[in-house]
Amino acid sequence: MSHLDSSIKDIHAALVAKEITPLELTEEALKRAHEDKSNAFEMICDEEAKAFAATLTEPEADNPLWGIPYVAKDNFSTKGIETTASSDILTGYVPVFDATVIKKLKAAKAVMIAKSTLDELAMGGTGTTGHKGKTYNPNDPSHGRMIGGSSCGSAAAVAEGVAPFALGSDTGDSVRKPASYAGLVGMKPTWGRISRYGLFPFAPSLDHVGYFTRDVYGAAVLLDVLAGRDLHDGTSSEKPVEKYEADLDRPVKGMKVAILKDIVDSITDKGLRRHFDASVKALEGEGVTVDYVGFGRDLLSSLYATYIVISCAEATSNDANLDGIKFGPFRGGKTYQEVMYNARTKGFSEFIKRRFVIGSYCLMRENQEELFLRAQRNRAKIVEKVNAILKDHDFIYVPAAPGVAPLFTQVSDKLSDEYLMADNHLCLGNFAGLPSITLPLCYENGLPIGVNFMGRAFEERKLFQMSAAFERLSGLAETSSSDKKEARL
Ligand code: GLN
């Protein structure tokens, strides 16, 4: 087994013990990236990565990210490296600055080896809409299954052993759903906990920086580095950053968990129900109190519509700068209208155009009250309900998705309860801006299934404490994803 298949913690130990150097590790990661079979990359940064890794010669024992290779989703600005967000509208766009998270990782001496594919402009959840085509789930070597999106390439890169962690972004579930399909830990902290400066906006009231790791320890130490106030991002929080890994070994006895009954009831996959029920018993065995609570089916089945109205409206407004003048290549035209028309007609896929049509329609003066403002009011109701549940409980616990990664040919019935509730509930964490983490639960025929815990705002430390306890119960920690077949729950 290569070091690249292990967790951040184990790779760090190997680097400190000088079993391997950052340059050797980087070269191996680059080699694996070039051998990638999942279509995970927009750009492999051979020269930049090797040059940086070569400067890392003295191991830093108290810096857990020293010399660790990673992958960044291609919607983070990277100075001097083309960044397209997998959209033709940004072909040739080379940012002149690094996103704050990229800067922080550089300062922590982690080595960015590649930029990963995404659903175009981070909209979508299938990993199929980017300009490079489908990204495949490495857990299915026949390439029949999706890895989910929009952070498809980042999930695939970690799952196929190119790097032990990868940055993603999460507006509705774009880290936490692919994490479930990939058998990884997928984390999105509280809104404002990580600066979004340099992350291409999709829907800023919902956008979060998130990331994939192989274990909870990795997720916690990464937050130590990424979190914090940033003067470039007025929405970043001034709350002090904590040592997020401090409580990982502490017992969870006495904690209270709420399971959303309507969501569990809408899951038709019997295997998942069985494993999920076993996990509840295991949590109870640790002294955790588990309550099944109602959320209201009407409210839950309105999540998707509410999300689509708000996110498309915000995206339409934010992406107005992609006009062939401010951003995007000139594709002909004499007047501003013509230039914009040509750039946008050629630069966006049908999928994106459809979302802009929805967004513009919801924002039209005559429709605002009925659509946009109504969705905002419904969001407020949803958030109120989430916070009411979290008043009496430390966490909300649910399956992260209705089952294993779907086949590309599988079309879901978009009006079924399973789709409306079981497939779309992770956006609760974006509506309310709460920390939320997906963890591997089990494997069905070699394909992973994940669960999700969501906690109170800024209680990431406690969320990691619970996650670490869960990871001990599931037995799915600190191994490469290809070895993760024997779950305990
Ligand atoms: N799947 C959702 C969408 O289609 C979420 C995307 C995201 O979180 N970026 O927009």
Side-chain angles (χ1 to χ4, degrees):
M1 185 173 112
S2 153
H3 290 295
L4 285 175
D5 295 310
S6 8
S7 62
I8 290 175
K9 189 182 212 164
D10 289 347
I11 300 176
H12 174 67
L15 284 165
V16 170
K18 298 197 176 178
E19 283 167 30
I20 189 161
T21 67
L23 184 58
E24 287 163 351
L25 199 59
T26 297
E27 279 170 345
E28 195 185 340
L30 289 167
K31 182 166 170 282
R32 285 190 171 194
H34 283 289
E35 290 164 0
D36 158 56
K37 293 195 178 60
S38 310
N39 189 26
F41 301 109
E42 282 287 336
M43 174 80 81
I44 300 174
C45 311
D46 294 270
E47 296 318 313
E48 296 87 345
K50 279 192 272 185
F52 185 47
T55 66
L56 307 175
T57 49
E58 262 325 292
E60 296 176 8
D62 52 3
N63 172 5
L65 299 187
W66 183 85
I68 307 257
Y70 79 97
V71 168
K73 189 175 178 177
D74 200 36
N75 58 350
F76 288 99
S77 284
T78 42
K79 189 175 173 175
I81 297 172
E82 186 186 31
T83 305
T84 65
S86 295
S87 178
D88 281 343
I89 194 95
L90 286 169
T91 301
Y93 172 60
V94 180
V96 292
F97 70 99
D98 278 329
T100 295
V101 286
I102 301 285
K103 229 187 219 167
K104 286 189 166 204
L105 288 171
K106 211 174 262 177
K109 297 171 186 153
V111 183
M112 189 186 82
I113 59 126
K115 303 291 295 290
S116 61
T117 51
L118 54 149
D119 276 303
E120 183 171 359
L121 298 169
M123 295 181 216
T126 55
T128 62
T129 69
H131 62 184
K132 287 194 75 186
K134 287 177 189 163
T135 296
Y136 303 103
N137 192 327
N139 290 291
D140 172 13
S142 75
H143 282 178
R145 285 180 195 270
M146 59 180 70
I147 188 140
S150 62
S151 310
C152 48
S154 285
V158 180
E160 65 189 3
V162 172
F165 78 92
L167 289 178
S169 62
D170 190 311
T171 303
D173 54 17
S174 271
V175 164
R176 294 161 296 144
K177 183 81 92 60
S180 180
Y181 296 155
L184 298 171
V185 173
M187 169 73 186
K188 147 195 122 44
T190 310
W191 192 85
R193 185 62 300 184
I194 300 180
S195 164
R196 299 175 299 171
Y197 179 65
L199 168 65
F200 297 179
F202 161 13
S205 80
L206 301 163
D207 290 343
H208 296 66
V209 172
Y211 48 82
F212 301 91
T213 58
R214 298 217 173 92
D215 66 358
V216 174
Y217 171 84
V221 294
L222 248 180
L223 191 59
D224 293 355
V225 172
L226 298 177
R229 173 73 176 157
D230 175 15
L231 292 177
H232 290 303
D233 176 359
T235 65
S236 64
S237 169
E238 288 179 348
K239 266 196 192 301
V241 176
E242 298 173 53
K243 274 268 168 219
Y244 294 101
E245 69 281 23
D247 297 331
L248 298 190
D249 297 329
R250 289 184 53 198
V252 288
K253 188 164 185 256
M255 288 193 181
K256 286 184 79 179
V257 167
I259 293 176
L260 302 185
K261 190 175 173 320
D262 305 301
I263 289 177
V264 177
D265 287 348
S266 355
I267 286 175
T268 51
D269 182 322
K270 290 200 177 70
L272 169 55
R273 286 290 293 269
R274 208 176 48 247
H275 287 289
F276 187 77
D277 291 345
S279 75
V280 172
K281 285 225 162 57
L283 286 171
E284 286 173 335
E286 295 295 301
V288 173
T289 307
V290 180
D291 295 327
Y292 284 80
V293 303
F295 197 93
R297 289 179 79 80
D298 284 354
L299 211 49
L300 278 179
S301 48
S302 73
L303 285 178
Y304 183 60
T306 308
Y307 169 78
I308 284 295
V309 169
I310 294 175
S311 65
C312 290
E314 289 189 34
T316 304
S317 152
N318 274 289
D319 288 334
N321 60 0
L322 304 176
D323 60 0
I325 294 178
K326 293 187 228 31
F327 290 98
F330 175 73
R331 288 187 165 109
K334 290 198 182 70
T335 62
Y336 175 64
Q337 271 74 13
E338 274 174 23
V339 171
M340 179 174 67
Y341 179 86
N342 288 333
R344 290 173 75 88
T345 302
K346 293 178 189 143
F348 295 131
S349 68
E350 292 304 312
F351 178 77
I352 294 294
K353 287 178 196 157
R354 199 157 59 224
R355 290 211 172 187
F356 289 157
V357 169
I358 296 171
S360 309
Y361 187 77
C362 297
L363 289 173
M364 278 165 68
R365 195 182 306 274
E366 52 273 48
N367 299 333
Q368 261 185 30
E369 178 61 37
E370 182 62 17
L371 294 170
F372 187 61
L373 297 175
R374 191 159 143 224
Q376 299 282 25
R377 279 195 291 274
N378 202 48
R379 175 180 180 174
K381 266 197 208 164
I382 292 164
V383 172
E384 207 176 292
K385 185 77 199 170
V386 169
N387 286 331
I389 294 172
L390 287 173
K391 221 169 176 185
D392 302 327
H393 299 89
D394 300 286
F395 307 104
I396 290 176
Y397 176 50
V398 278
V404 298
L407 293 163
F408 287 114
T409 49
Q410 221 163 310
V411 255
S412 38
D413 167 6
K414 298 214 164 177
L415 293 176
S416 67
D417 280 355
E418 191 179 21
Y419 185 76
L420 288 175
M421 296 192 218
D423 220 354
N424 282 293
H425 60 79
L426 292 180
C427 66
L428 285 171
N430 304 74
F431 284 150
L434 299 177
S436 171
I437 192 167
T438 291
L439 305 164
L441 165 73
C442 62
Y443 278 75
E444 259 179 22
N445 304 321
L447 297 168
I449 298 186
V451 289
N452 183 272
F453 285 93
M454 176 164 69
R456 300 188 194 113
F458 295 102
E459 291 194 356
E460 280 85 2
R461 216 166 94 188
K462 202 199 250 180
L463 183 62
F464 287 131
Q465 183 182 347
M466 175 52 92
S467 303
F470 184 88
E471 191 176 54
R472 287 190 289 273
L473 293 171
S474 73
L476 293 179
E478 295 193 25
T479 45
S480 74
S481 68
S482 54
D483 298 332
K484 284 183 185 176
K485 307 289 181 210
E486 291 302 325
R488 288 194 209 119
L489 296 173

